[in-house]
Amino acid sequence: MFSPFKDAQGSPKALVDVTYDDLEQLKDLEEGYVLEFKRSLSPTVQKKLPKIIASFANSAGGWLVIGIADDDKSICPVPRLGADYSQIIGELCRRHISPAPRIDVRFLTRPDTPDEGVIVVQVLEGDFPPYVADGVVDVREGSTSGPAASSALVELYGKATRRRLEVREFCRRTVFFAADNLPLFNLYVFRMGRRSAEPPTRAELNAHAAAMRGAFRRQRLACRVHHAHDSLIFSVPARDDPRTPHSTIELFGDESIKLSVPVVLVEAERYDQAICDLGIDTAMVGVPGSPRIMSAQDTLARVTRMASILDRYVRARGIPWQQYAVAYELENLAGVILWSDEPLYLDYVRERGPLFCATTDCLSRVRYLDDGAHDSFRARQFAGSHFFEACGLPLGSPDERDNALVDALLRTAHGAAR
């Protein structure tokens, strides 16, 4: 995306890196399609703000700088208020624009007068237009905003439809596993916003890889890195055979992520015990279609441990989770039975029967994390809870025995993760 601010090498600066001294760069720029200046945040400007921001979101995004004169580009610092400007402008957007656009706001403090500064608002190109401000769909027209023509409205609706299809198309596994019919829990994390036509630079790729390796280390896991044509694939190496399926994270240039976690099937030496504990007819064992049984503790521990790496990566990179859309997929999990030697689970089995995945392969609905309902989102909690639900575990049940079972399995899973 365009930035009016450049670093020493002439590369665009992100808003988080902009300083007060960088405002001098604006003297050589004119207002236009992606840039607008306002001298102050007067009541008149506040009234126009939703229209300006919505027009940027409906177009290619843009920057609004408040505290710069639009005639001679002189700096006219605005006073620091008791309230945060990001809250003030965010509230204006929530009250007047639907859906809420994605914006970032910074107050650049004047070095010699800390009570004054300049407000810089970055508006990201909207993923799901049209953005309607007080009942009107505005778009950028040169250096101003104006109502969209009927043809522009059709294009905006088409853009939103294409975006949803792009997100849905992303949600499929693209990492190879040699084993046939391998049961997998897949998590897809798509970074919203404009996707650059230019591939990331080598320096950017190195920064992404370093952050991901660091996230693996903090989880006390080693990783092997493979370079694909448009992604980096991080896998947990197996000591005995490199072809042994294990968890993988695929990281794309825009920092979208795919996580694939093979479930831990019960091995031969524990299989007979699991069959006995679950009360399964031994006549069903050793014939085509024999029950597939997975370890509850080991699988849940693997799922949550790997999802925690995503939390660590996003935090290290300073990316808000609200910039992502997420979905999960159950692959080859239909009919796989859950087993644990936890006494509470064995009691549950005797009373109600074993838990198992009761659906064929399926992709969940996509959740857009900027909807205001996911402000405390964590990949670890999301993955763990949906793994539970896929297996029929009673999350949020009013029955205290159900909740005690969930807590017990969580405790044993945490122990397995360590």
Side-chain angles (χ1 to χ4, degrees), residues 164-174 186-190 257-258 325-329 362-368:
R164 288 189 174 90
L165 290 174
E166 183 182 8
V167 175
R168 200 74 179 178
E169 175 63 21
F170 175 83
C171 295
R172 60 184 182 88
R173 177 171 58 86
T174 45
N186 300 318
L187 181 63
Y188 304 112
V189 182
F190 182 92
I257 305 170
K258 299 181 182 182
V326 300
Y328 70 92
E329 180 184 37
C362 64
L363 179 69
S364 74
R365 70 179 178 88
V366 177
R367 291 164 172 81
Y368 297 94

Side-chain angles (χ1 to χ4, degrees), residues 213-223 236 239 305 309 312 417-418:
R213 287 192 184 98
F216 270 83
R217 283 196 302 271
R218 286 189 288 275
Q219 283 298 110
R220 299 181 181 179
L221 287 172
C223 67
V236 177
R239 295 179 182 177
R305 191 175 191 182
I309 293 176
R312 293 183 182 277
R418 288 193 293 270

Side-chain angles (χ1 to χ4, degrees), residues 29-48:
L29 301 177
E30 297 294 333
E31 287 186 309
Y33 187 67
V34 290
L35 181 63
E36 187 160 337
F37 301 122
K38 293 297 179 185
R39 183 184 292 269
S40 67
L41 191 60
S42 65
T44 301
V45 171
Q46 290 189 45
K47 188 175 181 180
K48 294 179 179 178

Side-chain angles (χ1 to χ4, degrees), residues 85-132:
Y85 276 109
S86 63
Q87 295 178 345
I88 295 171
I89 295 174
E91 182 59 26
L92 279 172
C93 291
R94 283 188 289 272
R95 285 165 45 196
H96 295 277
I97 306 175
S98 179
R102 293 189 300 120
I103 66 172
D104 196 3
V105 181
R106 281 197 66 199
F107 183 78
L108 303 179
T109 304
R110 186 177 181 177
D112 57 347
T113 313
D115 291 335
E116 294 180 337
V118 171
I119 307 165
V120 182
V121 183
Q122 182 184 13
V123 184
L124 300 181
E125 180 181 0
D127 290 295
F128 301 111
Y131 295 85
V132 184

